[in-house]
Amino acid sequence: MKKLYSIFLLAICVSVSSAYSQFQPLTGNELPGAVVVSTDNYTPETIWNYNSGAAPVLSEYGFTALLVQKFMVGPKDFKIEAYLMNTPEAAYGMYSTNILKCPIQDSITAWDCLAQGQYQSAYGRFYIVITNETGSASLFYSYTIMQKFMALNPQEPLKLPDVFNAPAFADNRNQVDFVCGMLGMQNSLLGWENLIVRVRFAMYAVILPDPRSQIYFAQITFPTQGDMYTFLTNAKLMQNGVPIPSYNDYGFLFREFVISDPSTPLTIYFLQSSVPIAIAEVTEN
């Protein structure tokens, strides 16, 4: 948790410039029968010329550079987009808030998704998107492209915070989102835009199915106590300037928070449901 907090302070929601590029493009020789059609590079300044729709959220998470390569494999067209983010958390954030239903996940990397003619992955500091225009019969060639890119650009896999190793998350660990700003929140299914107004934060969150009520659970790190108190105020978890452990309107909304660890007082566990469900029930091993 201390590592997450320090990374949050340095880079997670701030675009940090980089004086160097940290990726090795494919040459085409690594891919049987492939011909490299084009190789292009983009910076935080020029990304708007390539993908103006994604540029704002890339900037919010912290974006360094983009490599775009197009290949011809016989009659089939493939494209790899390798977004180099400021941190592994930022790469995972872009990945986690851009995937919905994935019939095939975690095939090559710890975090990847193959669906609807597109392969996506969070691989260290890289957010990878591989697409083709020739249908599902060609999808698995994306695996080959990804494996070759990984061989040229080794990365350490991101690990989720320890709390997500609890049994309650076993079936939903690959649905955990990482969010650190309003645009990321809007791209998620969490619906907490009103809770993060004027708040700086770094959040891992997931929606858990439960017979009693859907459970919205998050681990959130704040840079200052002021940010944390603003969040708690927005969540109705402050009373007379003092944090309170829970809020219950006895019908539609229950919220609870606890400090995750006394040594990290600005990191909390936060739970929301329609009926009272204790955080301890979700996080216990």
Side-chain angles (χ1 to χ4, degrees):
M1 288 310 309
K2 292 180 181 177
K3 179 180 178 182
L4 173 61
Y5 177 65
S6 62
I7 290 173
F8 166 76
L9 288 179
L10 290 172
I12 284 181
C13 276
V14 178
S15 181
V16 178
S17 63
S18 175
Y20 53 90
S21 180
Q22 290 189 347
F23 46 99
Q24 176 65 42
L26 298 167
T27 65
N29 296 329
E30 307 90 352
L31 305 168
V35 176
V36 177
V37 176
S38 63
T39 299
D40 296 298
N41 294 277
Y42 299 88
T43 66
E45 293 72 34
T46 61
I47 185 63
W48 295 85
N49 300 326
Y50 176 75
N51 191 344
S52 60
V57 71
L58 284 166
S59 177
E60 180 177 87
Y61 275 111
F63 165 71
T64 298
L66 167 64
L67 168 71
V68 180
Q69 290 192 283
K70 296 182 179 180
F71 304 90
M72 286 289 295
V73 184
K76 303 168 185 175
D77 298 316
F78 288 87
K79 177 175 69 174
I80 179 171
E81 299 166 285
Y83 296 86
L84 180 62
M85 307 300 291
N86 290 342
T87 66
E89 287 81 5
Y92 178 79
M94 286 296 299
Y95 166 80
S96 65
T97 56
N98 275 286
I99 62 168
L100 292 175
K101 295 182 179 179
C102 281
I104 303 175
Q105 283 189 269
D106 309 335
S107 301
I108 301 176
T109 70
W111 313 108
D112 67 7
C113 166
L114 181 62
Q116 299 179 347
Q118 189 175 77
Y119 172 86
Q120 297 185 69
S121 175
Y123 173 57
R125 287 178 60 197
F126 289 103
Y127 167 52
I128 306 291
V129 181
I130 302 175
T131 56
N132 71 82
E133 300 177 354
T134 51
S136 60
S138 302
L139 285 179
F140 287 96
Y141 196 85
S142 299
Y143 287 160
T144 301
I145 296 175
M146 184 62 187
Q147 288 169 331
K148 299 302 182 181
F149 183 86
M150 291 169 63
L152 290 172
N153 299 275
Q155 296 281 303
E156 289 293 323
L158 177 134
K159 294 182 180 180
L160 294 181
D162 289 343
V163 67
F164 293 102
N165 293 325
F169 303 102
D171 295 331
N172 300 90
R173 290 185 76 256
N174 59 7
Q175 297 172 25
V176 175
D177 286 344
F178 178 79
V179 180
C180 65
M182 185 61 74
L183 296 177
M185 183 64 72
Q186 291 170 348
N187 285 345
S188 77
L189 299 177
L190 297 167
W192 286 338
E193 289 87 346
N194 62 318
L195 302 186
I196 61 169
V197 175
R198 299 184 302 277
V199 177
R200 294 170 297 167
F201 67 97
M203 174 191 298
Y204 285 92
V206 67
I207 304 173
L208 300 174
D210 189 276
R212 298 161 293 177
S213 166
Q214 278 192 320
I215 300 171
Y216 292 70
F217 175 85
Q219 176 183 290
I220 314 172
T221 296
F222 305 94
T224 70
Q225 187 180 76
D227 287 287
M228 184 170 76
Y229 279 11
T230 299
F231 176 86
L232 295 177
T233 298
N234 294 342
K236 301 182 179 180
L237 290 169
M238 292 283 285
Q239 192 170 83
N240 299 322
V242 178
I244 57 175
S246 64
Y247 168 81
N248 189 356
D249 69 359
Y250 301 98
F252 301 99
L253 183 64
F254 173 80
R255 288 177 177 148
E256 183 181 43
F257 94 97
V258 298
I259 302 296
S260 65
D261 186 315
S263 66
T264 55
L266 296 180
T267 295
I268 67 171
Y269 296 150
F270 174 73
L271 182 146
Q272 176 179 305
S273 59
S274 61
V275 297
I277 297 173
I279 286 175
E281 180 181 345
V282 176
T283 59
E284 65 184 8
N285 288 302

